[in-house]
Amino acid sequence: MRGYLARKTLVYGVTFVVAVTLNWLIPRLMPGDPVQRMVARAAVQHPETIASMTEYYERTFGLDLPIWQQYLNYWAALFRGDLGTSVWLFPTPVSQVVLDAVPYTLGIMIPAILLSFVVGNSVGAMAARSRWLDNVALPVGYLITAMPYMWLAILLAWGFGVALGWFPVAGGYDFGLVPQWSWSFAGDLLQHWVLPFLSLFLVSLGGWAIGMRNLIIYELESDYANYLAALGAPRRLIRQYAFRNAMLPQITGLALQLGTILGGALVTEIVFAYPGLGKLVLSAIQNQDFFLLQGTLLFVVIGVLLANFVIDIVYVLVDPRTRTGLTGGTA
Amino acid sequence: MALAVNDLKVWYRTVRGDVKALDGVTFEVADGEIMGIAGESGCGKTTLGKALIRLDTRMRHVGGSVVLDDVELPLADDGAMRRHRYREVSLIPQYAMSAMNPTRKIGRMIRDLLSAHNVRYADVLPELERRLELVGLDAEVLGRYPIELSGGMKQRVVLVLSTLLNPSLLVGDEVTSALDVSSQKAVARALVEFRDHGFVRSMIVITHDISVLFQVADTILVMYAGHLAEKAPAKTIISQPLHPYTKMLIGALPKVGDRYEEQQLEGIEGRPPSLLEPPAGCRFRDRCPLVHDKCAEAPPFRKVAEGHHVACWAVS
């Protein structure tokens, strides 16, 4: 187990370094110059002023240094927890901007992913044993899964927001409110949370249910299920085994979903103008904000790696077949 | 009489019609008897084995009865049949290699199964360990997962597990087929030992490999195309087979001392008939060298000597 952990840690460490490097490199390969943009925003005409502003900004962002030194500085700053300063929201630090957005993203993603996982798998498992439910759940599941996500989200926004007027259609909270610890603000947050959450929840629900149904049916046809039935085991025990085994691939699926937790809500956040990380990525690109883009993507990368690492460990605990590989087959 | 099967018919439902895989078989298995069932692929031997314990969803009990220890088994009623499974009729499946849940430790799985039968694991554990030892396994396998065992080990664990509650009848389907010759011998010996120790009262061993039956079986039942061809003590089947099919089956086996450079090993020409619309009369007649007019009528499964039954008009 220790050797396995060490190997995994090494692999994830290398992946992290590569990802951070790419993360630093890619914004620099984008067309456009953020400094030029900031200077243009100031709308000054005087050439000397422009020159001195350019110089000031370049020094502030460290863009006047040779490229390799920029790279090293980036790593050094990273370990100090300094992600640089945002160009778009100058002079707010990137870490501040990102940390403000993170709760919104996590707030819709975690409940949506976990609840759809739990509900979808339960419905799928029930559908596998009830013909009636199967005939209802399966077509509905396929319908939801096949629906383009954007369209579903817009449909929800139109139906519940515009037509029925039950929920607001945009923002993380009412524009007239100031964030504070109060019941009225919490209620407002919740109201704005419902539609983005619901759209994400619905869109992954069908996939889980269909997957679980098929897996359970497959497991119930398997040799061990037949053997148990021949030895007079009650249906409950066989189902319990089938469910447990069918959960394994689903857990992998959950891992992949959790990996996308930070970046995955891009479309949702845009449709509902929800102030999370996805919207931040878009704004950063639109405003050529290198540092904000880097910082946001870094969070996404860390999220993916952490989720995968955790699932690797969980998988070893739940599936004995993955365990023999790591003990080197001492059996 | 441990087991009496009377005119049992089990058909498979398919879109093209009923496949009459088991079309009226009648035989008996005595207390303490190990009966081997032999025959080529598709002759209905596995169907017979399954019919005795659990019909799958495509199988249909069309007629006939199975009486075990004077109680008729409710073959068609899955729920009622459950009470008889394991305690009275048990099975070693064809797929013993994959018969155990891969994600449960073996001991844990046995505990789950036993508690479903209202038997306490702790009560059975000493006996379980003794029997594992008897087949050459350490009690430590109970703490292992099935993937950690070799094929032969899994086969022996399944043997012990299937017979743990001392069933009256054990159906072993191709018990030795997936094993190498030395494991085959060990498993075959274990089967006989289990009978001798009284862990299992009677046994039906199904195989396409007649040479295995010579090692374990007291009597051999030869099946052909859903019908019975011959039943006799194992020795008689080898030395004095009467049914032409049995003769050809035995003739197709290699013998020690024969030199096959000089002499071809004989096979049986032709193929068994389709069981979708089987021809009336004797089903072997298309391949039979002794065929004559009378064969258009189905021959009865007649007793020709003590414990020797044959279904053939040519045998008087």
Side-chain angles (χ1 to χ4, degrees), chain B residues 221-234:
Chain B
L221 176 70
V222 178
M223 288 186 67
Y224 186 80
H227 280 170
L228 301 184
E230 185 166 5
K231 187 190 174 193

Side-chain angles (χ1 to χ4, degrees), chain A residues 91-143:
Chain A
T92 324
V94 166
S95 46
Q96 184 66 45
V97 179
V98 172
L99 285 177
D100 280 348
V102 164
Y104 288 102
T105 296
L106 293 183
I108 53 169
M109 290 299 273
I110 291 181
I113 290 178
L114 292 183
L115 271 178
S116 67
F117 180 79
V118 172
V119 175
N121 281 316
S122 311
V123 170
M126 280 189 280
R129 67 177 116 153
S130 148
R131 177 156 299 181
W132 175 84
L133 189 62
D134 199 23
N135 287 340
V136 176
L138 202 62
V140 172
Y142 277 121
L143 188 73

Side-chain angles (χ1 to χ4, degrees), chain A residues 223-235 237 240-242 244-245 248 318-321 323-324 331, chain B residues 53-54 78 82 85-86 90-91 93 95 98-104 109 112-113 116-117 145 147-148 158 161-162:
Chain A
D223 286 344
Y224 71 82
N226 276 320
Y227 181 53
L228 280 175
L231 294 189
R235 212 162 276 167
L237 179 65
Q240 191 189 318
Y241 278 12
R244 202 183 126 104
N245 290 352
L248 296 174
V318 294
D319 190 350
R321 284 169 294 189
R323 232 171 294 168
T324 44
Chain B
I53 185 157
R54 181 171 174 256
D78 193 61
R82 235 197 68 209
R85 291 183 190 133
Y86 204 24
S90 192
L91 172 82
Y95 46 80
S98 54
M100 286 180 284
N101 185 350
T103 60
R104 268 274 200 270
M109 189 197 70
D112 289 347
L113 180 62
H117 284 276
Y145 289 97
I147 42 151
E148 298 178 282
V158 168
L161 169 57
S162 289

Side-chain angles (χ1 to χ4, degrees), chain A:
Chain A
M1 188 70 187
R2 184 168 299 168
Y4 173 77
L5 269 182
R7 207 162 61 227
K8 279 285 169 201
T9 311
L10 182 72
V11 168
Y12 280 103
V14 171
T15 316
F16 180 71
V17 170
V18 172
V20 167
T21 305
L22 283 176
N23 192 10
W24 171 83
L25 190 65
I26 287 173
R28 282 166 177 74
L29 298 177
M30 280 198 327
D33 181 348
V35 171
Q36 287 299 323
R37 204 181 164 92
M38 286 190 82
V39 173
R41 205 157 53 190
V44 283
Q45 299 296 324
H46 202 278
E48 246 171 65
T49 317
I50 291 179
S52 65
M53 276 181 83
T54 309
E55 199 195 316
Y56 168 74
Y57 279 134
E58 286 195 334
R59 197 151 12 88
T60 311
F61 294 122
L63 295 173
D64 52 345
L65 297 169
I67 197 100
W68 59 269
Q69 205 159 355
Q70 287 187 33
Y71 179 62
L72 290 183
N73 283 349
Y74 171 65
W75 271 106
L78 200 63
F79 282 113
R80 290 198 305 271
D82 177 9
L83 297 173
T85 310
S86 168
V87 175
W88 172 46
L89 297 170
F90 191 81
T92 324
V94 166
S95 46
Q96 184 66 45
V97 179
V98 172
L99 285 177
D100 280 348
V102 164
Y104 288 102
T105 296
L106 293 183
I108 53 169
M109 290 299 273
I110 291 181
I113 290 178
L114 292 183
L115 271 178
S116 67
F117 180 79
V118 172
V119 175
N121 281 316
S122 311
V123 170
M126 280 189 280
R129 67 177 116 153
S130 148
R131 177 156 299 181
W132 175 84
L133 189 62
D134 199 23
N135 287 340
V136 176
L138 202 62
V140 172
Y142 277 121
L143 188 73
I144 301 178
T145 311
M147 211 183 273
Y149 171 70
M150 274 250 279
W151 189 65
L152 177 75
I154 292 170
L155 210 64
L156 283 176
W158 177 79
F160 290 102
V162 179
L164 292 171
W166 291 356
F167 300 107
V169 290
Y173 48 86
D174 196 280
F175 296 121
L177 287 177
V178 179
Q180 54 182 311
W181 295 105
S182 70
W183 285 115
S184 65
F185 183 71
D188 189 61
L189 263 183
L190 192 66
Q191 271 204 325
H192 282 79
W193 170 86
V194 170
L195 283 183
F197 159 78
L198 194 66
S199 70
L200 282 171
F201 171 75
L202 280 180
V203 82
S204 35
L205 190 65
W208 289 125
I210 293 166
M212 192 61 183
R213 168 199 176 268
N214 293 348
L215 283 164
I216 293 243
I217 288 175
Y218 173 80
E219 292 289 336
L220 288 176
E221 296 278 309
S222 69
D223 286 344
Y224 71 82
N226 276 320
Y227 181 53
L228 280 175
L231 294 189
R235 212 162 276 167
R236 194 171 37 80
L237 179 65
I238 299 169
R239 286 231 170 88
Q240 191 189 318
Y241 278 12
F243 183 76
R244 202 183 126 104
N245 290 352
M247 276 308 279
L248 296 174
Q250 297 292 77
I251 289 176
T252 313
L254 180 64
L256 294 175
Q257 285 255 308
L258 283 175
T260 63
I261 200 163
L262 287 172
L266 192 87
V267 179
T268 318
E269 291 178 3
I270 291 167
V271 170
F272 294 101
Y274 205 68
L277 281 180
K279 194 147 171 295
L280 218 52
V281 169
L282 184 73
S283 305
I285 293 173
Q286 281 170 339
N287 294 288
Q288 282 173 358
D289 191 340
F290 283 10
F291 306 98
L292 185 55
L293 189 59
Q294 270 172 8
T296 316
L297 291 180
L298 187 75
F299 266 72
V300 175
V301 166
I302 292 173
V304 171
L305 292 180
L306 265 183
N308 278 291
F309 188 68
V310 169
I311 293 293
D312 268 347
I313 305 291
V314 168
Y315 220 77
V316 165
L317 296 179
V318 294
D319 190 350
R321 284 169 294 189
T322 49
R323 232 171 294 168
T324 44
L326 64 96
T327 54
T330 46

Side-chain angles (χ1 to χ4, degrees), chain B residues 19-178:
Chain B
V19 174
K20 301 167 185 71
L22 198 63
D23 207 8
V25 299
T26 303
F27 63 91
E28 284 167 352
V29 179
D31 273 347
E33 179 177 339
I34 299 184
M35 187 186 84
I37 301 184
E40 61 198 292
S41 230
C43 70
K45 54 191 192 302
T46 294
T47 308
L48 173 57
K50 281 171 109 173
L52 295 177
I53 185 157
R54 181 171 174 256
L55 299 174
D56 71 32
T57 46
R58 299 159 304 145
M59 288 161 89
R60 205 152 51 89
H61 179 213
V62 178
S65 66
V66 174
V67 177
L68 180 66
D69 296 332
D70 304 319
V71 178
E72 181 168 348
L73 297 181
L75 296 189
D77 184 348
D78 193 61
M81 194 62 196
R82 235 197 68 209
R83 280 196 302 278
H84 298 277
R85 291 183 190 133
Y86 204 24
R87 283 177 189 278
E88 287 158 39
V89 198
S90 192
L91 172 82
I92 300 178
Q94 235 173 30
Y95 46 80
M97 302 299 139
S98 54
M100 286 180 284
N101 185 350
T103 60
R104 268 274 200 270
K105 282 182 180 159
I106 291 168
R108 183 71 196 282
M109 189 197 70
I110 296 177
R111 178 197 297 263
D112 289 347
L113 180 62
L114 287 176
S115 66
H117 284 276
N118 300 317
V119 177
R120 281 189 48 213
Y121 183 64
D123 296 346
V124 186
L125 191 61
E127 182 64 16
L128 175 61
E129 287 176 351
R130 195 167 78 83
R131 291 188 187 183
L132 284 173
E133 219 164 284
L134 199 66
V135 295
L137 291 173
D138 201 287
E140 176 251 357
V141 295
L142 295 175
R144 301 261 195 106
Y145 289 97
I147 42 151
E148 298 178 282
L149 307 186
S150 73
M153 289 164 89
K154 274 188 247 185
Q155 187 81 48
R156 281 176 282 163
V157 170
V158 168
L159 170 64
V160 170
L161 169 57
S162 289
T163 55
L164 196 56
L165 297 186
N166 299 342
S168 305
L169 176 72
L170 176 71
V171 178
D173 195 356
E174 302 285 8
V175 182
T176 57
S177 299

